[in-house]
């Protein structure tokens, strides 16, 4: 009894202390661009976190940077993509961040809103040197919080043999032609499935948002969500038809996309540049051709990749931004492509023969000039999860597109944009 | 007035007790400190969080949040995915727990009476899945359940049956996970049941046989009543485990198809990932209350009459 009372007293006390300190301040005024950094070579320790293959290869670039800046010491810590989001969130919460980190483009909105990212200094980097879609991923509420580092976009991988058998000899120009080509792949080309589109589930929005953009729609207009707009519903209908007409599988077993594509069972699929490597590893580098996204009002694709951000808690702000600036020079971006096969975010880097003379890469480079990213709102990942599960219903049930769009709109609105 | 001698006696007693208490606290202090910092603290913090609107944008200033009372708990009832997850979790428990208990009991009975020759081998065989990492098991089962190349459908194919795509069918995905969980956990229950069976005095069976009891009657009127405490333990432990099922859908289905395998723990994980810390905490406490309620229910159902 006594013990309980003591516990209750301690609990009550800490509760009231907490309550006294609580209450959210009204959202502060928007930040402006960051202050300029000092001139001259970089100095001191610069710690960098980077994920995946980028993390493993970045030390090559760090060495080159340190040759130019002998007083700087860049330490790269590779971290796995899996735990990266939480690790960065924890670092921001604890105030123990690295100086620079690679941030997935769809995380920018969330992390910028924690107040943990340093706004990009105004005069540091020429924003017009990047692909528009790539730069947009760094801009949250009109302020840039980082610099695009590498990009990826999506194209149609089309099975050459199936296309030839189907008598399709040129890329589809618009939505109707794409649907006709896919139907031909299946009916005359001998493919079991004309195309393989992701049937909802995690990341399916990356397949469908481009259709929305092509149709002149968007997910968010800066003020509210627009999933129930006619443009979105129409894009949903177009996506759904591939499944309802039996042209795309709804339950393709994991790992069978590539073997089925190589065995002419699948006519086409939508994917990013990494599939060039996957198919080359399976001796199918000549099996496919790459098609630009079909045109409707636009021929937009999805742009993803990674941005480099500097943290407010950085102990070496000047050095950190100098390293970021170094990595965004065109010639360094080309070297980076050679080291890690990451596509340059700087447009000028694509004029280098290494990239310009490879027809497959050139196709990606061309698509990048018309590629968009989702809105940089803090809750995008959560909204996207709702979108993904709505798309799954669209692909697997006979639910109505308007109805699904309405449900997604309602859920997105209740989630809000996070401000 | 007390005499001086009793006063000193009392003080000696109290000082001795105080010393013993000090020694006790001294010995327990490493645990107490760790428990308070790493268990009680976070538990209290998450309880407080569940009454606020804390989210990922607040991590640099966690005290700058608004108290919203029971709003987070109220939101649960309107969250279609949570309701779906609650239904799935309930189904997982209601089907999975009795099934696993039955399978574990049958295996234990078999090993206790009939299969004396290879008892060690069987025991290891049944127990092996329990000590294997659940993620490894889930990955292997995902391959077993593959529609065209998987072992399950290959065997069915030999019998002339065209097996379904187990994990992509909304009505088969959850039952597939239940079957896997049953297979994985029956070994643990078997070991507990085996211990319980061996603790039943043989003279009870002898007496029953003298009274002319057959196999079924011995089982029904001797084994089952004597196993009651074991049953209670097993039921509570498996219910707690099954209510929190997470790894199976996480590795095998990602909650799909169409949310048919999403569990409450999975939904909590997702919400934490989206940065809705307050909402996820509220959900965790609802799950906790569910665990407490079901455990109490088992105690009422299974504890022996004199304990009640």
């Amino acid at each position: 009894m006594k013990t309980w009372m003591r516990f209750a007293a301690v609990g009550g006390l800490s509760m009231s202390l907490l309550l006294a300190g609580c209450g959210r301040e009204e959202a502060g005024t928007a930040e402006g661009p960051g202050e300029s950094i000092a001139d001259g070579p970089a100095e001191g320790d610069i710690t960098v976190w980077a994920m995946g293959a980028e993390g493993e290869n970045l030390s090559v670039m760090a060495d080159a940077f340190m040759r130019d800046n002998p007083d700087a010491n860049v330490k790269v810590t590779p971290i796995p993509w899996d735990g990266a989001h939480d690790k960065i969130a924890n670092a921001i919460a604890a105030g123990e961040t690295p100086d620079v980190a690679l941030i997935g483009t769809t995380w920018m909105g969330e992390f910028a809103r924690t107040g943990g990212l340093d706004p990009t200094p105004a005069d540091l980097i020429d924003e017009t040197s990047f692909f528009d879609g790539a730069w947009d991923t760094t801009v949250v509420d009109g302020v840039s919080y980082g610099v695009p580092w590498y990009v990826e976009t999506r194209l149609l991988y089309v099975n050459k043999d199936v296309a030839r058998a189907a008598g399709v000899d040129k890329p589809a120009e618009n939505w109707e032609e794409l649907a006709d080509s896919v139907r031909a792949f299946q009916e005359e080309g001998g493919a079991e499935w004309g195309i393989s589109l992701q049937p909802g589930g995690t990341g399916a929005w990356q397949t469908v948002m481009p259709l929305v953009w092509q149709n002149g729609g968007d997910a968010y207009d800066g003020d509210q969500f627009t999933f129930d707009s006619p443009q979105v519903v129409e894009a949903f209908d177009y996506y759904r038809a591939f499944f309802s007409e039996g042209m795309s599988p709804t339950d393709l077993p994991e790992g069978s996309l590539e073997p089925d594509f190589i065995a002419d069972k699948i006519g086409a699929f939508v994917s990013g540049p990494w599939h060039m490597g996957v198919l080359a590893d399976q001796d199918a580098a000549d099996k496919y051709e790459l098609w630009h996204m079909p045109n409707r009002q636009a021929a937009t694709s999805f742009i993803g990749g990674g941005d480099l951000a500097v943290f407010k808690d950085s102990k070496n702000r000047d050095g950190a931004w100098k390293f970021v600036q170094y990595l965004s020079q065109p010639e360094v971006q080309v070297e980076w492509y050679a080291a890690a096969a990451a596509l340059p975010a700087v447009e000028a880097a694509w004029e280098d023969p290494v990239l310009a003379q490879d027809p497959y890469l050139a196709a990606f480079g061309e698509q990048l000039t018309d590629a968009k990213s989702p809105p940089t709102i803090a809750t995008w990942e959560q909204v996207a999860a709702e979108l993904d599960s709505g798309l799954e219903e669209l692909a697997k049930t006979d639910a109505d597109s308007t109805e699904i769009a309405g449900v997604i709109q309602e859920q997105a609105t209740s989630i809000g944009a996070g401000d | 007035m007390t005499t001086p001698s009793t006063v000193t006696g009392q003080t000696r007693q109290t000082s001795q007790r105080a010393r013993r208490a000090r020694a006790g606290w001294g010995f327990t202090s490493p645990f107490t400190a760790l428990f308070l910092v790493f268990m009680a603290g976070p538990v209290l913090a998450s309880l407080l969080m569940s009454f606020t609107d804390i989210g990922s944008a607040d991590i640099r200033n966690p005290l700058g949040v608004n108290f919203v009372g029971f709003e987070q708990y109220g939101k649960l009832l309107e969250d279609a995915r949570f309701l779906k997850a609650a239904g799935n979790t309930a189904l997982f428990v209601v089907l999975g727990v009795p099934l696993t208990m039955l399978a574990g009991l049958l295996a234990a009975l078999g090993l206790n009476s009939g299969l004396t020759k290879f008892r060690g081998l069987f025991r290891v065989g049944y127990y092996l899945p329990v000590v294997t990492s659940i993620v490894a098991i889930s990955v292997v089962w995902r391959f077993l359940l593959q529609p065209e190349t998987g072992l399950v459908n290959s065997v069915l194919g030999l019998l002339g049956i065209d097996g379904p795509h187990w994990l992509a069918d909304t009505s088969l995905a959850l039952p597939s996970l239940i079957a896997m969980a049953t297979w994985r956990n029956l070994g643990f229950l078997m070991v507990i049941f085996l211990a319980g069976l061996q603790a039943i005095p043989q003279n009870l069976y002898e007496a029953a046989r003298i009274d002319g009891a057959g196999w079924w009657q011995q089982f029904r009127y001797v084994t089952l009543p004597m196993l009651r405490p074991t049953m209670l333990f097993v039921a509570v432990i498996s219910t707690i485990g099954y209510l929190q099922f997470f790894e199976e859908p996480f590795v095998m289905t990602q909650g799909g198809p169409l949310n048919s395998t999403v569990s409450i723990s999975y939904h909590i994980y997702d919400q934490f990932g989206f940065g809705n810390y307050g909402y996820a905490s509220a959900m965790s406490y609802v799950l906790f209350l569910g665990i407490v309620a079901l455990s109490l229910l088992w105690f009422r159902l299974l504890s022996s009459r004199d304990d009640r």
Side-chain angles (χ1 to χ4, degrees):
Chain A
M1 189 66 201
K2 241 178 169 176
T3 349
W4 269 113
M5 282 172 65
R6 219 174 288 164
F7 262 118
V10 170
L13 188 67
S14 54
M15 183 105 73
S16 55
L17 279 175
L18 277 173
L19 277 170
C22 280
R24 181 171 283 122
E25 295 162 33
E26 281 309 300
T29 47
E31 282 180 289
E35 286 171 35
S36 312
I37 57 168
D39 289 335
E43 292 166 1
D45 287 345
I46 303 167
T47 54
V48 184
W49 285 0
M51 289 75 94
E54 286 73 33
E56 285 153 27
N57 293 307
L58 183 59
S59 52
V60 181
M61 312 312 293
D63 290 343
F65 177 73
M66 284 187 283
R67 271 196 294 280
D68 296 348
N69 301 271
D71 292 333
N73 179 27
V74 180
K75 274 185 293 189
V76 179
T77 309
I79 56 177
W81 270 110
D82 268 355
H85 177 273
D86 293 350
K87 203 170 156 67
I88 294 170
N90 290 341
I92 293 176
E96 291 289 333
T97 59
D99 297 308
V100 182
L102 166 59
I103 310 265
T105 50
T106 52
W107 302 344
M108 286 300 289
E110 185 186 344
F111 288 139
R113 242 167 262 263
T114 64
L117 302 184
D118 195 39
T120 315
D123 47 357
L124 182 70
I125 280 157
D126 174 19
E127 62 171 86
T128 55
S129 67
F130 298 93
F131 289 109
D132 291 344
W135 184 260
D136 288 345
T137 65
T138 70
V139 179
V140 180
D141 287 340
V143 179
S144 162
Y145 288 91
V147 171
W149 186 18
Y150 66 88
V151 291
E152 55 97 351
T153 188
R154 309 295 158 85
L155 289 177
L156 281 152
Y157 284 72
V158 175
N159 187 318
K160 269 188 200 168
D161 297 329
V162 170
R164 198 174 307 132
V168 176
D169 50 8
K170 64 178 186 55
E173 286 299 325
N174 52 42
W175 277 17
E176 290 72 28
E177 279 184 36
L178 180 63
D180 290 344
S181 303
V182 166
R183 198 171 290 116
F185 293 161
Q186 191 160 342
E187 285 167 5
E188 286 139 53
E192 200 173 320
W193 303 106
I195 193 168
S196 174
L197 295 175
Q198 191 181 343
T202 309
W205 61 270
Q206 297 171 358
T207 303
V208 178
M209 280 311 295
L211 296 175
V212 172
W213 293 323
Q214 285 157 25
N215 202 30
D218 209 340
Y220 186 70
D221 66 3
D223 185 36
Q224 57 184 352
F225 291 98
T226 50
F227 287 111
D228 55 356
S229 66
Q231 289 91 335
V232 175
V233 173
E234 210 179 6
F236 281 7
D237 272 331
Y238 183 68
Y239 168 74
R240 202 177 89 117
F242 286 105
F243 299 97
S244 62
E245 292 176 21
M247 292 193 282
S248 178
T250 54
D251 57 353
L252 193 70
E254 202 180 330
S256 55
L257 173 65
E258 297 84 7
D260 283 2
F261 182 77
I262 294 168
D264 296 339
K265 286 189 196 163
I266 290 175
F269 63 91
V270 177
S271 188
W274 55 86
H275 252 110
M276 293 190 289
V278 174
L279 291 174
D281 285 345
Q282 304 191 15
D283 292 327
D286 298 324
K287 183 77 193 166
Y288 62 94
E289 55 195 27
L290 294 174
W291 287 8
H292 198 279
M293 281 289 150
N295 191 26
R296 178 105 173 148
Q297 291 179 27
T300 312
S301 185
F302 167 81
I303 191 167
D307 297 337
L308 288 167
V310 173
F311 293 91
K312 278 218 180 90
D313 290 317
S314 164
K315 290 173 196 72
N316 186 1
R317 179 171 176 269
D318 288 4
W321 279 117
K322 277 173 190 158
F323 184 55
V324 171
Q325 183 188 32
Y326 171 79
L327 289 176
S328 57
Q329 291 165 3
E331 59 277 12
V332 178
Q333 290 248 310
V334 174
E335 278 173 51
W336 179 230
Y337 171 75
L343 300 183
V346 177
E347 238 177 312
W350 287 82
E351 285 158 19
D352 191 276
V354 177
L355 290 143
Q357 283 172 10
D358 182 322
Y360 287 153
L361 281 177
F364 280 101
E366 197 197 325
Q367 181 73 65
L368 278 166
T369 58
D370 188 359
K372 272 178 102 161
S373 55
T376 51
I377 54 175
T379 52
W380 175 253
E381 296 271 328
Q382 194 178 350
V383 171
E386 293 295 346
L387 183 51
D388 285 341
S389 75
L391 293 174
E392 190 177 7
E393 270 184 69
L394 212 52
K396 293 181 183 174
T397 69
D398 47 12
D400 179 60
S401 297
T402 316
E403 203 177 302
I404 300 272
V407 171
I408 296 172
Q409 171 71 10
E410 195 181 309
Q411 271 156 348
T413 307
S414 84
I415 291 166
D419 47 20
Chain B
M1 249 202 101
T2 45
T3 55
S5 64
T6 45
V7 168
T8 48
Q10 268 181 357
T11 24
R12 196 179 301 141
Q13 231 177 20
T14 32
S15 77
Q16 215 171 24
R17 202 186 296 156
R19 209 168 55 225
R20 234 181 313 172
R22 258 205 313 277
W25 279 111
F27 280 123
T28 54
S29 62
F31 168 78
T32 314
L34 287 176
F35 177 80
L36 286 178
V37 174
F38 292 109
M39 292 288 294
V43 165
L44 184 71
S46 66
L47 184 62
L48 291 177
M49 269 160 68
S50 75
F51 295 107
T52 69
D53 60 354
I54 188 168
S56 58
D58 300 312
I59 52 178
R60 271 165 70 91
N61 181 20
L63 293 185
V65 295
N66 293 330
F67 268 78
V68 294
F70 282 90
E71 193 183 295
Q72 304 280 21
Y73 291 87
K75 250 170 39 184
L76 284 171
L77 297 175
E78 290 158 23
D79 181 349
R81 193 160 187 257
F82 172 77
L83 297 178
K84 179 82 185 159
N88 290 340
T89 309
L91 206 61
F92 195 79
V93 171
V94 167
L95 292 178
V97 171
L99 203 63
T100 316
M101 281 174 66
L102 189 67
L105 183 60
L106 287 178
L109 284 172
L111 287 184
N112 196 40
S113 51
L115 302 160
T116 40
K117 218 171 181 182
F118 299 106
R119 188 181 280 181
L121 187 71
F122 275 105
R123 243 188 262 181
V124 171
Y126 282 125
Y127 201 69
L128 214 52
V130 182
V131 292
T132 312
S133 146
I134 176 128
V135 173
I137 286 181
S138 300
V139 170
V140 170
W141 271 69
R142 203 173 57 188
F143 283 116
L144 293 181
L145 292 172
Q146 285 266 350
E148 274 154 38
T149 49
L151 187 68
V152 174
N153 279 2
S154 304
V155 170
L156 286 177
L158 290 180
L159 302 173
I161 302 169
D162 193 13
H165 190 163
W166 299 95
L167 296 176
D169 187 316
T170 45
S171 55
L172 289 174
L174 189 62
S176 301
L177 296 193
I178 293 176
M180 188 189 89
T182 303
W183 169 80
R184 175 179 137 85
N185 292 308
L186 82 89
F188 176 67
L189 303 199
M190 176 199 75
V191 168
I192 308 284
F193 274 129
L194 210 50
L197 285 173
Q198 283 166 358
I200 301 175
Q202 283 302 315
N203 55 12
L204 290 181
Y205 290 106
E206 273 166 38
R209 275 197 294 273
I210 291 168
D211 287 346
W215 179 87
W216 169 249
Q217 281 163 322
Q218 286 180 43
F219 177 72
R220 172 70 187 80
Y221 295 104
V222 179
T223 314
L224 275 189
M226 292 301 286
L227 271 184
R228 211 172 207 178
T230 318
M231 290 265 193
L232 174 62
F233 174 76
V234 159
V236 170
I237 288 289
S238 355
T239 307
I240 293 176
Y242 278 25
L243 271 173
Q244 305 184 58
F245 86 110
F246 169 74
E247 291 94 338
E248 296 90 344
F250 183 68
V251 177
M252 295 173 72
T253 60
Q254 286 80 50
L258 293 171
N259 287 338
S260 63
T261 57
V262 69
S263 70
I264 296 184
S265 297
Y266 200 139
H267 195 37
I268 293 172
Y269 170 84
D270 273 351
Q271 290 299 325
F272 262 113
F274 293 143
N276 300 323
Y277 304 137
Y279 186 51
S281 301
M283 226 181 320
S284 308
Y285 277 91
V286 169
L287 178 62
F288 170 72
L289 288 180
I291 291 174
V292 171
L294 270 182
S295 301
L296 287 178
L297 183 72
W298 277 123
F299 270 94
R300 279 198 76 86
L301 283 177
L302 284 176
S303 61
S304 55
R305 275 173 200 96
D306 356 322
D307 295 355
R308 259 186 223 169

